[in-house]
Amino acid sequence: MIYYVIFKYGTMYGVIIAFKDYNVKKGILASPWADPLLKHFQYFFSSPYASVVIGNTLKISFLKIIFGMIPPVILAILISECGNKWFRKIVQTASYLPHFLSWVIIYGIMIAFFSQSTGLINRWLTEMGFSSYPFLTDPAHFQAMIVGTDVWKGVGWSA
């Protein structure tokens, strides 16, 4: 019962911010209720960006489901078919590690690899004679970067 009170009902405390005109100085409980009560929802859904934001969220979620299911299954099969026990344990440990990293650290790793000015991938591209490419700031690659990092972070744990 204590578990459900703390982790299921207790976390719902912050949801009331959506129905209040929140003031940092007053806090959540002392802030006045929004008038009308659904004012913030009406504001969001009347915005020209609401359909874009909802569409992107649904598309990214769908892509995470599709591309997040196949690699863990393949990795699990490969690990189970590996005859060398010590190699299997090393692969399992290495594939589990990203799951325990915070998203802030994952973002730092992405910058280290894909930054246009100092990223490892762009350094290799410029050393081979190509121009650097803005992987992290190009809108065409944004969804692929999000889905790719999510799959990489979760593939070991899901396997």
Side-chain angles (χ1 to χ4, degrees):
M1 186 74 161
I2 294 170
Y3 168 81
Y4 283 104
V5 168
I6 293 172
F7 294 108
K8 301 297 180 184
Y9 293 107
T11 56
M12 296 301 290
Y13 167 71
V15 172
I16 64 172
I17 291 177
F19 302 100
K20 291 196 165 212
D21 286 329
Y22 180 67
N23 185 335
V24 177
K25 291 180 183 177
K26 293 181 180 179
I28 294 175
L29 293 178
S31 294
W33 290 96
D35 187 36
L37 191 60
L38 299 175
K39 173 174 88 171
H40 302 295
F41 293 95
Q42 291 170 344
Y43 175 75
F44 172 73
F45 287 111
S46 66
S47 166
Y49 300 110
S51 61
V52 174
V53 170
I54 293 170
N56 282 340
T57 302
L58 293 175
K59 185 176 179 184
I60 289 170
S61 298
F62 179 74
L63 290 172
K64 283 182 180 182
I65 290 170
I66 296 300
F67 291 109
M69 288 173 52
I70 298 168
V73 172
I74 292 170
L75 180 63
I77 292 170
L78 290 173
I79 289 173
S80 70
E81 293 295 323
C82 182
N84 197 336
K85 191 173 182 177
W86 64 269
F87 182 72
R88 179 173 49 211
K89 295 227 181 249
I90 290 172
V91 170
Q92 277 182 315
T93 302
S95 65
Y96 266 48
L97 286 177
H99 174 76
F100 297 104
L101 298 175
S102 74
W103 279 106
V104 174
I105 294 171
I106 299 295
Y107 179 71
I109 292 170
M110 295 303 293
I111 288 176
F113 276 98
F114 294 106
S115 172
Q116 188 172 4
S117 57
T118 60
L120 184 63
I121 305 295
N122 275 316
R123 278 182 159 172
W124 288 345
L125 287 174
T126 54
E127 287 176 6
M128 289 189 294
F130 299 104
S131 61
S132 64
Y133 188 80
F135 291 104
L136 297 175
T137 57
D138 186 10
H141 292 92
F142 177 73
Q143 292 175 349
M145 296 299 275
I146 288 179
V147 172
T149 54
D150 186 68
V151 169
W152 174 73
K153 189 176 188 302
V155 71
W157 184 262
S158 298

